[in-house]
Amino acid sequence: MRANKITVAALALAAGLSLAACQSDGDATDRSDSSAAPATTSSHGDPGPGATKGSPASGGSAQGTAQASAGKGSGEGQGANAGTGSGKEGKLGKCRTDELQVKATDNTIDGDPGGTVVVEFTNGGGRDCVLSGYAGVDLKTSAGTLSAKRTGQQASRIVLKDGGSVAFGITYPINDSGGSGVRVTGLVVTPPDETKSVTLDWPGAATLPVTDGSGSPVKAGPIGSAGQGG
């Protein structure tokens, strides 16, 4: 009896070990299948081993980083260039004498106590520029150079477009004394903030009355004014 019990126990133990081994094999097979299943298809849809799945992911991350870096660099460069260009275009320089076409015309109106000459600047420089303040005005006369006084009116800053024009007025007394007066032979105009002048024919009355030396009877208005009174 004792021998039989030992034999039965041994058989039972052997059967148990065999069953446990079968279950262990089954679990191992299940885990292998579950971990391998996602790895059989790569991120591009191509079948491959488990290592293939990690490779595209790593490559995609590097590509994304490169694209982000390239985008950042491109954006910064673009912004800097645009800002520099905008700053240069936004700054206007003053109008130069060589860029201006200057002409003078008589603008005296019947009944006015004095005469008026209008001087016009036309921008022919191929760019917009700025004129502001008073131009220099000198009359060449038989008695020497006579410089015009400023009227004292407030001067405005004027952006003169390419091809655009702006004018100012010169007023002077009419010679009605009956004498020969002072003969005017020419007009010299110097644009504001410039040293180069333009000499023009005087379009006004041929003579001015003789002054008593108390000051110039000729007056010039600021840029943008025209007509009687400057």
Side-chain angles (χ1 to χ4, degrees):
M1 287 296 290
R2 183 179 179 81
N4 288 339
K5 288 181 178 181
I6 293 174
T7 300
V8 171
L11 290 174
L13 178 61
L17 292 173
S18 177
L19 178 60
C22 290
Q23 290 177 345
S24 177
D25 291 342
D27 292 343
T29 300
D30 290 342
R31 286 193 296 272
S32 176
D33 290 342
S34 63
S35 61
T40 56
T41 302
S42 70
S43 61
H44 297 285
D46 300 326
T52 305
K53 179 180 178 181
S55 179
S58 175
S61 175
Q63 185 178 7
T65 302
Q67 289 175 346
S69 298
K72 181 179 180 182
S74 175
E76 289 176 349
Q78 219 170 17
N81 291 337
T84 302
S86 176
K88 290 180 179 178
E89 293 175 0
K91 185 176 181 180
L92 294 176
K94 67 181 181 180
C95 299
R96 300 289 186 181
T97 302
D98 291 337
E99 298 175 317
L100 298 171
Q101 299 169 8
V102 188
K103 70 176 183 179
T105 57
D106 182 20
N107 197 41
T108 302
I109 299 174
D110 290 341
D112 284 348
T116 301
V117 168
V118 169
V119 177
E120 183 180 69
F121 292 122
T122 299
N123 181 7
R127 67 180 181 97
D128 297 351
C129 59
V130 175
L131 275 178
S132 62
Y134 285 78
V137 175
D138 297 295
L139 271 61
K140 291 183 176 181
T141 74
S142 56
T145 300
L146 182 64
S147 297
K149 288 184 176 182
R150 297 179 178 183
T151 61
Q153 291 173 267
Q154 184 175 0
S156 300
R157 179 181 183 272
I158 297 174
V159 175
L160 191 59
K161 298 290 185 180
D162 182 34
S165 299
V166 67
F168 69 93
I170 301 171
T171 58
Y172 62 95
I174 298 295
N175 180 22
D176 55 6
S177 64
S180 59
V182 177
R183 185 167 55 90
V184 182
T185 59
L187 171 64
V188 180
V189 177
T190 308
D193 300 319
E194 280 287 270
T195 57
K196 187 174 183 179
S197 302
V198 176
T199 301
L200 306 169
D201 292 334
W202 173 249
T207 63
L208 299 176
V210 177
T211 64
D212 58 4
S214 60
S216 173
V218 181
K219 294 183 180 181
I223 299 296
S225 68
Q228 184 65 33

